[in-house]
């Protein structure tokens, strides 16, 4: 391990612009990665940041009214699930959002209802009324049609049965005491996100409405929060200048590696149950320091370090959607023989400091 860490320190200390990617790790691992990136003038980017960056940009432009998972589960009387990804990522999502027994009093007198947009109904908890808005139309078109129905605006569609369901859904949303739109931002393009938020803004003029955006995989929200409280900016931030700079296009890890602007990569994939999409072949030629809890096919110039999986081999602080915040998760099978990401990066930083002092 000592010689491996020394090789990693030498590789990174020689880099002009190292990129810290993947970042599937716990909060301590993220903090260590940020510390090393600041020291080396590098860039940080999470493997699942595309969706969160897009959603953040739209929110900055238009504003939003997000709701916590618990608030939606306990209070919402109408839930709109958009696209396939919410239930693909969490097959038990509807069971969680529609518990068998009410836990808290809900506003209004409506029975709870589910509206599914651009996806098959699938298995639905018993007693929940469902309206399907689907068919051959693309998801962006379906979202736009529903938004038009919410505003009671005109729209034209050949499928009369679908048009009737859309009009009914629009009326239901206007008459809801608390309507919530649930989606995965990684599945929706910016115009679709704008359309969803515009529908919510229209509804909140007369009733309560909100959005529930699924958190990014790989502790993406936790890493983003850690980055924000560390330097005031989310991921896709560069420390190469005098002050940190955030740019969701310029500092996207894949773009930097493909363009050869980055000359070293630190790839971190060490989280229980979730795997970061590894660098593609187009990244080859850029030497990498890979910290992984899984077997890795490494390049000739890569330094691979086996680390423990957060929340499996060691306790981990990660973002928990059910509490909308950071919480501690106990290790499922503690393994003290495998170092944590934070321990490895801290040792590499110490070696770089020692080399600089010498």
């Amino acid at each position: 391990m000592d010689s491996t860490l020394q090789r990693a320190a030498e590789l990174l200390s020689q880099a002009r612009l190292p990129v810290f990617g993947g970042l599937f790790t716990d909060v301590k691992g993220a903090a260590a990665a940020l510390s090393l990136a600041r020291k080396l003038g590098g860039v940080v980017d999470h493997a699942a940041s595309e969706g969160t960056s897009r959603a953040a940009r739209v929110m900055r432009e238009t504003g939003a009214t997000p709701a916590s998972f618990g608030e939606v589960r306990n209070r919402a009387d109408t839930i709109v699930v958009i696209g396939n990804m919410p239930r693909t990522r969490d097959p038990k999502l509807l069971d969680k959002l529609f518990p068998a027994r009410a836990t808290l009093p809900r506003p209004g007198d409506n029975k709870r209802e589910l509206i599914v947009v651009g996806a098959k109904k699938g298995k639905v908890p018993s007693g929940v009324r469902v309206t399907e808005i689907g068919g051959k139309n693309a998801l962006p078109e379906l979202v736009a049609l529903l938004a038009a129905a919410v505003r009671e605006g005109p729209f034209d569609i050949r499928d009369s049965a679908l048009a009737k369901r859309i009009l009914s859904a629009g009326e239901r949303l206007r008459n809801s005491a608390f309507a919530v739109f649930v989606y995965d931002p990684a599945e929706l393009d910016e115009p679709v996100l704008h359309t969803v938020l515009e529908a919510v803004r229209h509804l909140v003029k007369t009733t309560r409405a909100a959005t529930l955006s699924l958190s990014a995989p790989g502790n993406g929200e936790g890493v983003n929060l850690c980055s924000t409280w560390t330097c005031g900016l989310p991921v896709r931030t560069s420390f190469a200048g005098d002050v940190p700079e955030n740019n969701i296009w310029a500092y996207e890890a894949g773009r930097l590696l493909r363009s050869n602007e980055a000359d070293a990569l630190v790839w971190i994939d060490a989280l229980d149950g979730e795997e970061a999409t590894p660098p593609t072949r187009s990244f080859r030629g850029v030497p990498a320091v890979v910290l992984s809890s899984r077997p890795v096919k490494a390049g000739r110039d890569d330094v691979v370090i086996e680390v423990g999986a957060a929340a499996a081999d060691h306790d981990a602080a990660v973002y928990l959607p059910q509490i909308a915040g950071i919480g501690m998760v106990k290790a499922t099978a503690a393994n003290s023989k495998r170092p944590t990401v934070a321990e490895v990066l801290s040792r590499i930083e110490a070696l770089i400091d020692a080399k600089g002092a010498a």
Side-chain angles (χ1 to χ4, degrees):
M1 177 62 79
D2 289 343
S3 61
T4 301
L5 293 176
Q6 189 66 52
R7 285 179 56 211
E10 291 174 359
L11 187 157
L12 294 175
S13 63
Q14 296 170 8
R16 298 186 307 277
L17 184 65
V19 170
F20 291 71
L23 293 184
F24 272 38
T25 182
D26 60 354
V27 171
K28 280 189 175 181
L34 283 157
S35 176
L36 187 53
R38 291 177 72 178
K39 182 177 295 294
L40 298 176
V43 170
V44 290
D45 183 23
H46 191 274
S49 66
E50 182 64 30
T52 54
S53 297
R54 183 188 305 128
R57 179 168 59 224
V58 172
M59 190 178 297
R60 284 197 299 267
E61 292 174 355
T62 65
T65 55
S68 69
F69 194 96
E71 184 71 358
V72 177
R73 179 189 62 222
N74 294 322
R75 302 288 191 184
D77 60 346
T78 305
I79 295 177
V80 183
V81 176
I82 300 174
N84 290 300
M85 287 306 296
R87 287 178 293 169
T88 298
R89 286 187 51 201
D90 186 355
K92 296 182 178 180
L93 177 66
L94 295 183
D95 293 323
K96 296 174 182 176
L97 292 176
F98 293 92
R101 290 182 296 178
T103 53
L104 292 173
R106 295 192 179 92
D109 300 322
N110 294 327
K111 290 185 177 180
R112 304 196 81 192
E113 182 171 331
L114 170 67
I115 299 173
V116 179
V117 181
K120 293 183 178 180
K121 178 176 69 174
K123 186 179 179 181
V124 177
S126 60
V128 177
R129 180 184 171 187
V130 183
T131 298
E132 290 183 78
I133 299 176
K136 297 180 180 180
N137 304 73
L139 180 60
E141 183 181 357
L142 293 171
V143 172
L145 290 168
L146 179 59
V150 167
R151 299 191 306 271
E152 297 184 271
F155 64 86
D156 184 26
I157 183 171
R158 291 183 179 181
D159 188 336
S160 58
L162 177 58
K164 186 177 180 179
R165 291 196 299 273
I166 292 172
L167 287 170
S168 175
E171 182 179 8
R172 165 71 190 202
L173 288 166
R174 289 193 302 273
N175 294 329
S176 296
F178 182 20
V180 178
F181 293 74
V182 181
Y183 56 86
D184 183 344
E187 188 178 12
L188 306 183
D189 293 332
E190 282 193 36
V192 183
L193 286 171
H194 275 290
T195 303
V196 172
L197 295 179
E198 179 60 34
V200 172
R201 282 196 296 275
H202 181 84
L203 288 170
V204 297
K205 294 176 181 178
T206 56
T207 185
R208 187 181 180 194
T211 60
L212 177 61
S213 175
L214 265 64
S215 60
N219 191 32
E221 307 293 342
V223 173
N224 244 345
L225 286 171
C226 182
S227 178
T228 302
W229 72 55
T230 299
C231 67
L233 297 167
V235 295
R236 295 196 174 178
T237 286
S238 170
F239 296 100
D242 295 333
V243 295
E245 179 183 8
N246 179 262
N247 187 306
I248 65 176
W249 175 81
Y251 302 130
E252 190 263 317
R255 193 200 69 78
L256 287 170
L257 292 163
R258 287 189 296 270
S259 65
N260 293 320
E261 292 171 61
D263 58 349
L265 169 67
V266 178
W267 185 258
I268 301 172
D269 182 12
L271 197 64
D272 183 37
E274 297 178 300
E275 184 174 359
T277 303
T280 64
R281 291 180 181 177
S282 63
F283 295 174
R284 293 306 181 195
V286 177
V289 176
V290 181
L291 279 63
S292 179
S293 58
R294 300 175 176 84
V296 175
K297 187 176 181 180
R300 183 177 62 183
D301 298 324
D302 296 343
V303 178
V304 179
I305 303 171
E306 183 180 10
V307 294
D313 295 313
H314 60 86
D315 298 347
V318 296
Y319 182 86
L320 302 175
Q322 60 269 33
I323 66 170
I326 304 294
M328 184 63 69
V329 177
K330 287 288 186 180
T332 55
N335 183 357
S336 59
K337 294 182 180 179
R338 303 178 77 181
T340 67
V341 169
E343 290 168 348
V344 169
L345 292 179
S346 295
R347 289 183 64 183
I348 291 174
E349 183 170 352
L351 289 169
I352 292 173
D353 286 342
K355 183 177 180 180

